[in-house]
Structure formats: structure tokens, C-alpha cells
Amino acid sequence: MADGTSKQLPTPSSALSAGSHFHPRLGDLAVDLAEQGTIGVVLALPSDSSASYQLRSPGGGVDWRARSDGSTLRPVPVPVTHVTPMRRDAVYDSRAQQVGLAVTVHSEDGGVCESLLVLTPAQVELFHTQLGRVIKARESARDRRR
């Protein structure tokens, strides 16, 4: 359940799936792998009069063209700002010897999505030790204020 949405959503007819190409819309940002991962704004779409996407750096500069099938283009990921644990119990999978902790991932554009933080037993022990220290420090600080 998301409280916001990513600014880059695929059009219904071209939903991303394994093996499909990214087909940006006019004005979208796209990463062009054929241009060493350069990010560009889509200025023109493939059409009867143009056999390729036309892009330009967001700050301006020289235009370039990308293949009309979108095979070299990728969506620009929205940066993650932070991750918060959800109010659910962690689950231990004895077969995989892993712990799953439900988390909410918060993006720079205000979007959120639910995900799963997977931890090894060693990571759980490390976080147990670290969080134990933080809890003691918080209790000490609270006692000093009284």
C-alpha cells in the first residue's frame, strides 16, 4: 500500500517486465546505456517522421538519438531517502537461515513502498548488539535529565 507514487510510471500498454524495453514518454528522464549512462530528457518520440528517441541533457547541451525500440534506455531511479521498519514481527526462515523484516522504503519524490529486509543470523546478532548499546545510551540520557 503506497502513500505516494513514483514520478516515472510506465504506460499501461508498455508495463515493464522481464525482457521488455523501457518506452519513456515525452518529457521523461531516461538513462541511455549507449551514451555511457548519460541521463537525458526525452524531447521526441519515435514516430512516422522520426525513427528514434531524441534526448538532451537536463541542463541543456547537444541532442542525441536513442534506438526506437528503447533497448538502450532505462528509467531514472528515484533516490531512496530512508527505510523504516513496519509494525510487524520479524520472521525467521529456518530453511534459508534468514530473517525477514517488513520495511517501508521512502523515496525522494514522496513515494513509499513496502519491502522486505533480509538478514543473516550474523547480521541479526550484530544489530542486536548495536541496538542494545543505543537503548542503554538512551536510558542513561533519560536518567541524567531527571
Side-chain angles (χ1 to χ4, degrees):
M1 165 169 18
D3 294 334
T5 57
S6 170
K7 291 179 183 173
Q8 177 64 56
L9 295 174
T11 58
S13 62
S14 64
L16 293 176
S17 64
S20 71
H21 296 295
F22 174 58
H23 296 283
R25 299 171 304 224
L26 207 55
D28 283 351
L29 290 176
V31 174
D32 190 352
L33 301 178
E35 295 290 323
Q36 294 78 41
T38 302
I39 295 175
V41 177
V42 177
L43 302 175
L45 304 173
S47 64
D48 294 337
S49 61
S50 174
S52 58
Y53 286 95
Q54 182 180 350
L55 296 101
R56 179 182 301 148
S57 294
V62 180
D63 293 4
W64 75 90
R65 300 213 171 263
R67 294 177 53 139
S68 63
D69 64 1
S71 61
T72 66
L73 300 178
R74 300 292 183 273
V76 175
V78 179
V80 171
T81 58
H82 62 286
V83 177
T84 56
M86 297 175 71
R87 292 184 181 260
R88 296 186 191 155
D89 284 340
V91 177
Y92 180 68
D93 182 344
S94 58
R95 289 184 305 131
Q97 296 185 358
Q98 296 175 332
V99 173
L101 178 65
V103 296
T104 302
V105 180
H106 303 263
S107 300
E108 194 173 78
D109 67 355
V112 297
C113 70
E114 293 180 4
S115 191
L116 186 67
L117 176 62
V118 178
L119 303 167
T120 65
Q123 291 168 324
V124 171
E125 290 176 16
L126 173 65
F127 293 145
H128 173 75
T129 302
Q130 291 174 338
L131 291 172
R133 279 191 231 127
V134 170
I135 291 168
K136 285 181 183 174
R138 181 174 178 245
E139 289 170 352
S140 295
R142 198 180 318 166
D143 291 343
R144 283 192 297 264
R145 282 187 274 159
R146 291 183 185 171

